C-alpha cells in the first residue's frame, strides 16, 4: 500500500523546497507531488534542476506529479502560442524531477469573461498532450466545481475527444463531491484514463467554495466525505495509480510541519487500509 501513497506538497507550500522534501521523507512518504511555485523559487535562488533531483534522491523520494498548469482552456491564437511555450518549460521541469510525470492541468479560468467552448477545450488539451509527449509526460486534466467544467462526466467528454494516450483525468475528492459528478459518471471513465487520485476531506460547508478549497481541506477521515465511494469504485475498476494527499489548510500551516506530515501519512494508511491487503 505504501508504494501507492503520494504527498502533494501543497500542504507545505509555506516551506521551501528542501524543507518540504525533508518533512515528507521523515514522515514515511516515498512519493511526492511537487508544486511548480516552490521549485521555481528553488531555481531562482541559484539552484539547478539537477540539484532538485539530487535532493529528491537524498531524501529517498520520487516525484510522480507536478502541479499545476492553468489558464489553457480557452486560449486562442497568440494566447495559445504563449501557453505552449510556458507548458514546454513546465514539462521540462517536471521531467527533470521524475520519469513519466503526471502533469496536473486544472481547468481554472477565473476572471475570464468567456462562455464554455467544448471544441476549444478539446483542441487545447490535445495540444498540451502533444507537448508533454516529447518529455514522456502525461497530462491529467482537473475539473473544478466552480467552473463550467465541473464534473467528471464533462471532463471525460473532453478527454475522450482529445483522443491521446497521454491525456487523462486527475480525480480530486473535493472537486468530485462539491461539483455535479456522480458515481455512474466515474464508473463510465476507463480506468486507464484516471491518471491520479487526490484525496482530502472537508468538515465545513461555511464560506464560499474557493475559500473552502484553498483554506479548509482536512485530512481524510476528519470530515464528512464518503471517500470510500471513490476508492472502492477505482479499486473495483482495477486502478493501479497513486492516491495523492492534497490538503490546503491555512491552520495546518501554523503547526509543526513534521507533525502535519506524520498525521498526513497516518491518515492515508487508515483510509486506504480497508481496500488493500
Amino acid at each position: 500500500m505504501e508504494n501507492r501513497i503520494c504527498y502533494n506538497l501543497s500542504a507545505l507550500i509555506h516551506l521551501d523546497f528542501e524543507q518540504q522534501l525533508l518533512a515528507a521523507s521523515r514522515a514515511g512518504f516515498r512519493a511526492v507531488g511537487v508544486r511548480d511555485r516552490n521549485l521555481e523559487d528553488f531555481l531562482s535562488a541559484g539552484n539547478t534542476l539537477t540539484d532538485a533531483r539530487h535532493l529528491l534522491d537524498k531524501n529517498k523520494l520520487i516525484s510522480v506529479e507536478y502541479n499545476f498548469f492553468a489558464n489553457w482552456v480557452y486560449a486562442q491564437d497568440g494566447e495559445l502560442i504563449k501557453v505552449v511555450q510556458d507548458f514546454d518549460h513546465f514539462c521540462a521541469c517536471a521531467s527533470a524531477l521524475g520519469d513519466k510525470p503526471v502533469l496536473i492541468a486544472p481547468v481554472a479560468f477565473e476572471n475570464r469573461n468567456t462562455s464554455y467552448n467544448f471544441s476549444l477545450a478539446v483542441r487545447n488539451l490535445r495540444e498540451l498532450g502533444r507537448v508533454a509527449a516529447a518529455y514522456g509526460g502525461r497530462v491529467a486534466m482537473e475539473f473544478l466545481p466552480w467552473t463550467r467544467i465541473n464534473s467528471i462526466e464533462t471532463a471525460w467528454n473532453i478527454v475522450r475527444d482529445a483522443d491521446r494516450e497521454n491525456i487523462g483525468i486527475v480525480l480530486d475528492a473535493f472537486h468530485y463531491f462539491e461539483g455535479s459528478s456522480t458515481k455512474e459518471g466515474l464508473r463510465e471513465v476507463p480506468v486507464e484514463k484516471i491518471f491520479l487520485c487526490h484525496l482530502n476531506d472537508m468538515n465545513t460547508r461555511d464560506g464560499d467554495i474557493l475559500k473552502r478549497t484553498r483554506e479548509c481541506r482536512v485530512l481524510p477521515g476528519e470530515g464528512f466525505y464518503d471517500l470510500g465511494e471513490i476508492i472502492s469504485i477505482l479499486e473495483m475498476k482495477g486502478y493501479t495509480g497513486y492516491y495523492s494527499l492534497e490538503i490546503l489548510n491555512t491552520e495546518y500551516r501554523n503547526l509543526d510541519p513534521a507533525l502535519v506530515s506524520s498525521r498526513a501519512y497516518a491518515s492515508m494508511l487508515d483510509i486506504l487500509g480497508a481496500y488493500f491487503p
Side-chain angles (χ1 to χ4, degrees):
M1 173 171 54
E2 289 86 347
N3 64 356
R4 292 182 59 196
I5 293 175
C6 174
Y7 193 20
N8 185 304
L9 296 176
S10 295
L12 306 175
I13 196 168
H14 56 297
L15 303 181
D16 66 37
F17 184 63
E18 188 167 3
Q19 292 171 325
Q20 289 178 330
L21 299 185
L22 183 62
S25 179
R26 287 181 173 176
F29 289 98
R30 289 296 166 256
V32 292
V34 174
R35 279 294 297 265
D36 61 335
R37 166 176 151 185
N38 294 105
L39 180 64
E40 293 292 352
D41 287 346
F42 180 76
L43 299 177
S44 295
N47 300 293
T48 67
L49 287 170
T50 300
D51 294 331
R53 182 65 179 260
H54 285 165
L55 271 181
L56 284 162
D57 294 342
K58 177 182 176 181
N59 287 283
K60 297 181 173 59
L61 294 167
I62 59 172
S63 174
V64 299
E65 60 168 318
Y66 194 56
N67 302 261
F68 54 86
F69 191 83
N71 299 318
W72 55 269
V73 179
Y74 294 149
Q76 299 190 55
D77 304 326
E79 283 183 315
L80 184 58
I81 293 173
K82 180 66 163 55
V83 164
V84 167
Q85 292 171 343
D86 291 346
F87 192 61
D88 187 82
H89 172 75
F90 186 86
C91 291
C93 291
S95 64
L97 299 184
D99 299 330
K100 298 181 179 179
V102 176
L103 308 157
I104 308 301
V107 297
F109 51 93
E110 298 166 43
N111 303 319
R112 293 293 298 272
N113 184 22
T114 185
S115 58
Y116 177 51
N117 187 322
F118 176 83
S119 297
L120 193 58
V122 169
R123 185 200 69 176
N124 290 355
L125 182 59
R126 187 181 295 128
E127 188 67 4
L128 295 189
R130 181 191 64 79
V131 175
Y135 294 91
R138 297 186 296 159
V139 181
M141 177 181 177
E142 188 169 29
F143 60 91
L144 303 175
W146 56 89
T147 71
R148 293 177 186 268
I149 305 173
N150 62 4
S151 69
I152 195 161
E153 289 90 343
T154 306
W156 168 232
N157 287 339
I158 295 171
V159 167
R160 181 195 60 221
D161 281 25
D163 194 24
R164 284 192 64 100
E165 185 177 353
N166 70 329
I167 290 176
I169 294 171
V170 55
L171 173 61
D172 182 286
F174 182 90
H175 304 153
Y176 176 85
F177 288 111
E178 299 291 336
S180 59
S181 298
T182 65
K183 291 185 289 186
E184 293 72 25
L186 176 55
R187 292 191 182 105
E188 285 296 314
V189 181
V191 68
E192 65 273 14
K193 285 300 187 178
I194 305 291
F195 286 175
L196 191 71
C197 178
H198 281 164
L199 291 182
N200 43 72
D201 216 331
M202 182 60 51
N203 62 8
T204 180
R205 297 196 187 279
D206 296 334
D208 66 68
I209 193 168
L210 288 177
K211 177 179 174 62
R212 287 190 292 122
T213 193
R214 293 170 176 170
E215 300 180 12
C216 303
R217 298 186 186 204
V218 294
L219 296 172
E222 296 186 359
F224 45 69
Y225 288 162
D226 180 9
L227 296 177
E229 176 180 310
I230 291 175
I231 299 167
S232 61
I233 291 175
L234 290 181
E235 291 303 305
M236 287 178 62
K237 289 168 67 69
Y239 177 70
T240 59
Y242 279 91
Y243 290 94
S244 179
L245 177 68
E246 187 184 46
I247 45 171
L248 307 169
N249 188 302
T250 50
E251 292 184 4
Y252 289 178
R253 295 171 196 170
N254 296 321
L255 303 176
D256 179 355
L259 174 62
V260 171
S261 300
S262 296
R263 285 177 55 200
Y265 188 67
S267 75
M268 291 294 277
L269 293 181
D270 286 346
I271 197 69
L272 294 171
Y275 303 92
F276 292 87

